[in-house]
Amino acid sequence: MLELSAQAVEVIRDIVAEGGVGPDGGLRISGVGEDGETALDFELAEAPVVGDDVVSVDGAVLFLDEIAAAVLDDKLLDVHAHGDHFHFSIDEKTA
């Protein structure tokens, strides 16, 4: 199961609150596979799509499609700040 760092929880809550997607909204991560490579796409969503896994941690809500759920299984989603913007990172969980 995907885990979220404390920083990721805070950023996701802020993104969703500022995005105006409503009380059932969250950040949706979908996987796009081409030529054996997988890319992840992040977007605001008002609700999960049928079949999405829902990850909710301290008010931060993520919707993961089937590809994203498989890629992110047993990973840690973190955030790294760079001045006025940030980047998500996907790290291996540490024991």
Side-chain angles (χ1 to χ4, degrees):
M1 175 64 83
L2 174 67
E3 289 185 13
L4 306 178
S5 71
Q7 296 88 348
V9 167
E10 184 177 329
V11 167
I12 292 166
R13 280 193 312 234
D14 290 348
I15 290 170
V16 172
E18 292 173 9
V21 293
D24 297 325
L27 184 63
R28 185 164 193 269
I29 305 176
S30 55
V32 180
E34 290 184 16
D35 300 326
E37 298 291 322
T38 300
L40 297 175
D41 184 37
F42 292 71
E43 65 182 339
L44 288 170
E46 293 181 0
V49 173
V50 173
D52 280 356
D53 284 352
V54 178
V55 176
S56 180
V57 178
D58 295 331
V61 180
L62 290 174
F63 308 132
L64 308 175
D65 78 356
E66 185 177 324
I67 294 171
V71 168
L72 298 173
D73 188 38
D74 293 330
K75 299 287 191 277
L76 173 70
L77 185 65
D78 200 0
V79 172
H80 301 280
H82 299 279
D84 64 347
H85 65 281
F86 60 87
H87 298 275
F88 284 106
S89 68
I90 300 165
D91 303 314
E92 296 294 327
K93 287 184 195 177
T94 57

